[in-house]
Amino acid sequence: MRQRLLKYLKRLVIVLVALAAIGVGVFTWLFHWPFEGDVENILTLVPEDVEFVLRCDIQDLRDTGWVQENVRDDPIYPEIDVAFRKALEQLELELQTIQTQVDRESPVSVDVASFVGDNIVAGEVCFAGNFWEHASPGNSPPQWKDLVVLKRVRGLARCISGLQHGFIRRQIQPGPGVELSVVEEGIYEFHLTRLKPLAPGQVAGPDMSRWYVTRVLDVVAVSNNKRLIQNIVGLGADDSGARSFARRPGFDIPLVPGRVSAAVNLEALQNYFLRALDHYPDLGTLRRFLPPEALVKLSGGISFSGADFVEAGGTITYLPTSQDASDVARNVYGLPQRPVSDGIARFVPAADTFAVISLRANPEYLLDKIVKAALPDSDRKLWEDNLRKNPDSGFTTLADFFQDLSTRMGNEAMVALGRMSERYDTLDFTEWFSAEPAPLPALAIMVRLGEGARQEELEAYLSEKVFLLGMEKELARVTYGNFAYSRAELRVKPLNYKYIQPCFTVVNDHLVLTTTEGYMRRILDTVRDGESGALSQDETFRVTMGALPSTAHVGIFLDIEKLTRVPPSFRLDESNPANNDLGAPGTRGFLWDRRNGWVITERDDRAEAIRVRRAESLKFPNPMNDQHRIELERRVDAHMDGWLERYPEFLEEYRQSLDRLRRLRGLGLVLGATGGEIDARAALVLRKRDR
């Protein structure tokens, strides 16, 4: 009996083993070997010739709560919420369509959304590709031309290899407008027939009409470039990764929880950066610290370490091949680093200051290459004309004057921008057409004196030479408490410089120059009162800059809240000014000061009149007679009267656009160089969302 039972058990085991073997064989033939392993390092599948790589774990990013807090619950920028919700609605619609098809055809109940979330979305992902060389800085940030997405998947998601069988492809039926085919073994093409492919020589953007898919173990790769997919298949067959991005020297792309790591070949973006500097002349000073032609590569990333904080940074390989790049390397990055959250920041008033740049640079380079480059063309020409008209000054060019002045200066400087609160807390811009100039920031330049320089000698030197910079020769000496400063008057004062009144003094071994007397006095008040009201003690400054390295060659701080601050409510009643609610002192930021200019520019009455005249002229016969022309002008005038009456509405529209930025609090950036590498670090601090 026992032997017979053993015999049956053996037969049963053999049958089970045979069935299992058949099952494994069938599964392997249909899909893949069920006991295959995983790709050890996803970077070994990234082709070596791509120009950028991004790497992260989606589940880790979700666990930080940053996306939930700042994209879904209370977006840091409203347009992010609109784009996110639109994409989410489209995804939900697609998943519902697939769910309906599965429910109709599958004998097993499957929750498609959970399957996608658990097996496809969660886990490590890598984005790589090449940049589009024709991207316009005026229209967009750098764009990709070729993109490949490598995603680790789990479970049944590996069964994508079943697409090699025609009967499975026919069962899937991607839907109208999509053609699915096999390009070669292991590579599948999704042709989006409703999208037109690029014509030869066309530069309208990347080709989005054909996408290629392949799988290497637990990694699924998708790309709009067939060559990249073919390279991935080849890398998958070669375990060494010898020709992969992982073996490229100088790039570090670790997988860190809560972080998006990145590596970028900056040489591919040099032309884009140069075009950006041409398109945005105000960024010209940035070239003095980061010359595009010297930037080689970047390794870094963005960390979402908390719901109210974003930190970004990386190491930039810097190769000073041009004269400009060599000058920066020698005169800025060749000097010792300095503290960026202390030092001169102790003298800057926190109340109105919304931006500071602190740096260490050779003083002659600072004046001749940075200050001169930042000057408007009109001011630079005025200064140079003054030098030519005064040959007795001993200077023939602005460079000569700066060279002489630099001998009295040290190599530590700070530039601060502040709001003219004493002026714009009382200016309400209640009418469309204002006689007031466009608000300018108060500017302060603070430079440590050079070794051996004496305060009295420097003040006497400036008093003697300041007329060369467009000032009156006679200066007013003003006593303010225990301090004294010199106040100058511009010989020619355009409307935009109505409230500009240059002042200078030397205090605590620092030369202080300001464009307004009010800002000079607030600086002196800060020096008198110690650090209690200084920028160095400001909470936003301390949180932002405290997250960054304490020493650097260049430090930049932007108080976004002081820039975008707006009154909590707004009312402009032209019929009864007593009902106006334009914001009390302390509720106005610098950009709100510029509200009248925004309306004039963005709701241009001249452009609106042209638009209306064109639209109305189409309602009349061609050619028009005199009565038609009179009626046309009457309609245009009536429309424009109503347009100008909408001034309060346009101001409220601008107020709301700034109020949408209320979550943005502070931004900091530091640059510090060692050898041929620049360590660039940035921090964005957010205000806690309204609960």
Side-chain angles (χ1 to χ4, degrees):
M1 184 72 179
R2 184 175 179 183
Q3 291 181 346
R4 182 179 300 177
L5 180 61
L6 289 175
K7 183 188 300 184
Y8 288 146
L9 287 176
K10 288 180 181 179
R11 290 176 180 176
L12 179 60
V13 169
I14 292 172
V15 170
L16 291 176
V17 170
L19 289 175
I22 294 172
V24 169
V26 171
F27 188 88
T28 302
W29 178 76
L30 285 174
F31 304 111
H32 63 89
W33 173 243
F35 305 110
E36 65 184 9
D38 297 338
V39 174
E40 183 176 351
N41 181 359
I42 200 171
L43 295 179
T44 60
L45 296 180
V46 179
E48 63 179 346
D49 58 346
V50 297
E51 295 169 346
F52 68 87
V53 178
L54 303 175
R55 185 186 188 190
C56 68
D57 188 299
I58 294 178
Q59 186 60 48
D60 286 341
L61 290 181
R62 290 173 58 183
D63 291 343
T64 66
W66 196 94
V67 174
Q68 179 72 30
E69 183 94 357
N70 300 298
V71 176
R72 301 194 63 175
D73 295 345
D74 190 7
I76 59 176
Y77 192 63
E79 279 68 15
I80 295 178
D81 180 49
V82 172
F84 181 82
R85 292 186 184 280
K86 184 177 180 180
L88 192 61
E89 289 173 1
Q90 183 64 33
L91 177 61
E92 289 175 348
L93 181 62
E94 294 291 340
L95 290 177
Q96 185 58 46
T97 301
I98 298 173
Q99 183 71 63
T100 302
Q101 183 177 356
V102 169
D103 291 343
R104 184 175 63 248
E105 301 179 4
S106 174
V108 180
S109 177
V110 177
D111 187 334
V112 174
S114 298
F115 174 82
V116 171
D118 295 339
N119 296 279
I120 299 178
V121 175
E124 183 181 1
V125 64
C126 187
F127 300 88
N130 298 309
F131 292 108
W132 182 40
E133 61 271 23
H134 300 289
S136 171
N139 298 327
S140 69
Q143 293 178 287
W144 55 266
K145 177 183 66 176
D146 305 318
L147 177 68
V148 58
V149 181
L150 298 102
K151 181 71 185 67
R152 287 193 187 273
V153 297
R154 293 184 293 188
L156 294 177
R158 296 190 185 206
C159 293
I160 193 173
S161 300
L163 292 177
Q164 62 187 318
H165 302 292
F167 68 92
I168 292 181
R169 294 197 301 274
R170 288 190 294 271
Q171 284 295 113
I172 290 179
Q173 297 176 351
V178 181
E179 295 179 356
L180 173 58
S181 62
V182 178
V183 177
E184 55 188 72
E185 185 178 357
I187 299 179
Y188 318 107
E189 178 188 277
F190 289 82
H191 181 198
L192 310 182
T193 57
R194 294 177 179 176
L195 295 179
K196 293 182 178 180
L198 295 181
Q202 186 178 354
V203 292
D207 190 345
M208 306 277 286
S209 64
R210 295 178 185 273
W211 290 88
Y212 304 90
V213 180
T214 192
R215 184 185 69 85
V216 178
L217 299 181
D218 66 326
V219 175
V220 172
V222 181
S223 177
N224 67 328
N225 186 302
K226 184 166 70 172
R227 180 187 61 82
L228 289 177
I229 286 292
Q230 290 172 330
N231 288 348
I232 290 171
V233 172
L235 290 170
D238 179 10
D239 293 337
S240 68
R243 301 185 62 184
S244 69
F245 198 88
R247 296 300 179 90
R248 288 184 64 172
F251 290 108
D252 183 25
I253 322 172
L255 185 62
V256 180
R259 174 183 173 91
V260 178
S261 298
V264 183
N265 176 11
L266 297 178
E267 291 179 300
L269 291 174
Q270 287 181 1
N271 287 334
Y272 179 89
F273 291 150
L274 291 171
R275 293 198 303 272
L277 293 175
D278 290 338
H279 187 81
Y280 300 104
D282 292 342
L283 297 178
T285 304
L286 186 62
R287 184 170 186 170
R288 300 300 173 185
F289 303 114
L290 292 172
E293 64 275 11
L295 306 181
V296 179
K297 53 191 173 185
L298 164 70
S299 291
I302 303 176
S303 296
F304 302 90
S305 55
D308 305 318
F309 187 79
V310 180
E311 183 182 1
T315 300
I316 300 173
T317 302
Y318 179 88
L319 189 61
T321 54
S322 67
Q323 184 61 50
D324 284 347
S326 297
D327 288 344
V328 176
R330 182 175 61 258
N331 293 292
V332 178
Y333 298 128
L335 301 177
Q337 299 185 23
R338 64 176 297 275
V340 292
S341 58
D342 199 357
I344 299 179
R346 294 174 296 152
F347 305 154
V348 178
D352 291 318
T353 301
F354 59 79
V356 294
I357 302 174
S358 59
L359 67 151
R360 168 163 275 174
N362 180 297
E364 184 178 355
Y365 180 84
L366 171 68
L367 291 170
D368 189 43
K369 298 296 185 182
I370 299 177
V371 173
K372 191 170 85 170
L375 285 173
D377 291 340
S378 57
D379 288 356
R380 191 184 306 114
K381 185 176 183 302
L382 175 64
W383 290 12
E384 291 172 345
D385 288 344
N386 288 335
L387 291 172
R388 282 193 294 269
K389 293 175 182 177
N390 294 275
D392 295 339
S393 66
F395 311 116
T396 57
T397 66
L398 199 53
D400 293 336
F401 172 64
F402 282 156
Q403 194 280 329
D404 189 59
L405 176 59
S406 68
T407 61
R408 297 163 171 80
M409 295 168 52
N411 57 24
E412 293 184 28
M414 173 178 280
V415 178
L417 297 175
R419 178 174 173 267
M420 298 187 199
S421 57
E422 72 280 3
R423 189 68 59 187
Y424 293 108
D425 275 348
T426 57
L427 281 177
D428 292 331
F429 297 103
T430 56
E431 298 179 357
W432 187 297
F433 301 104
S434 173
E436 291 293 329
L440 295 174
L443 170 69
I445 300 176
M446 310 176 74
V447 185
R448 183 181 292 276
L449 299 188
E451 197 171 318
R454 299 180 56 188
Q455 176 174 333
E456 299 79 6
E457 292 179 354
L458 180 58
E459 289 189 342
Y461 175 86
L462 290 175
S463 299
E464 178 185 346
K465 305 296 185 184
V466 74
F467 80 95
L468 297 172
L469 306 182
M471 316 294 177
E472 297 287 356
K473 288 190 175 182
E474 297 298 325
L475 301 176
R477 191 65 177 170
V478 180
T479 300
Y480 182 68
N482 295 327
F483 304 100
Y485 59 86
S486 297
R487 185 179 63 217
E489 296 288 344
L490 297 174
R491 288 204 297 271
V492 178
K493 184 175 281 192
L495 176 62
N496 280 347
Y497 287 1
K498 178 179 178 180
Y499 300 122
I500 299 299
Q501 195 159 45
C503 300
F504 66 88
T505 189
V506 176
V507 59
N508 288 4
D509 295 326
H510 287 81
L511 169 64
V512 181
L513 303 99
T514 65
T515 56
T516 70
E517 189 169 13
Y519 205 37
M520 171 62 79
R521 293 192 171 196
R522 288 196 292 279
I523 290 173
L524 296 178
D525 289 341
T526 305
V527 175
R528 178 199 62 205
D529 297 338
E531 294 191 48
S532 59
L535 183 67
S536 60
Q537 298 302 308
D538 180 77
E539 182 65 18
T540 299
F541 180 84
R542 289 168 63 87
V543 171
T544 305
M545 302 307 289
L548 301 173
S550 59
T551 61
H553 289 101
V554 181
I556 300 174
F557 168 72
L558 184 65
D559 192 319
I560 306 175
E561 195 273 334
K562 290 193 182 81
L563 268 178
T564 60
R565 181 186 296 158
V566 293
S569 60
F570 171 77
R571 183 172 62 253
L572 179 57
D573 188 347
E574 295 179 339
S575 61
N576 186 2
N579 293 330
N580 289 348
D581 181 6
L582 305 174
T587 65
R588 305 183 183 192
F590 177 69
L591 293 181
W592 179 242
D593 291 341
R594 299 175 67 88
R595 57 193 178 277
N596 180 254
W598 181 89
V599 172
I600 291 173
T601 302
E602 300 299 325
R603 300 295 177 264
D604 186 357
D605 58 305
R606 182 176 179 274
E608 179 65 12
I610 293 173
R611 185 193 67 80
V612 172
R613 180 172 284 104
R614 286 176 177 170
E616 291 294 329
S617 64
L618 298 176
K619 301 176 182 178
F620 293 91
N622 188 16
M624 289 187 286
N625 58 33
D626 290 343
Q627 287 186 336
H628 294 151
R629 294 190 187 92
I630 292 173
E631 176 61 18
L632 174 62
E633 293 304 319
R634 186 196 67 76
R635 294 185 185 183
V636 173
D637 290 344
H639 177 85
M640 293 313 300
D641 288 343
W643 184 259
L644 296 180
E645 289 175 0
R646 294 176 63 187
Y647 180 61
E649 174 190 333
F650 295 147
L651 288 178
E652 173 61 15
E653 178 185 350
Y654 180 56
R655 189 195 72 82
Q656 291 183 13
S657 70
L658 293 178
D659 188 53
R660 295 188 192 105
L661 305 176
R662 63 186 180 277
R663 292 286 315 283
L664 303 179
R665 183 180 174 190
L667 175 67
L669 169 69
V670 296
L671 302 174
T674 303
E677 294 184 338
I678 299 174
D679 185 35
R681 304 286 165 180
L684 174 66
V685 178
L686 306 175
R687 291 175 59 188
K688 294 185 180 299
R689 72 185 184 94
D690 300 329
R691 301 290 178 178

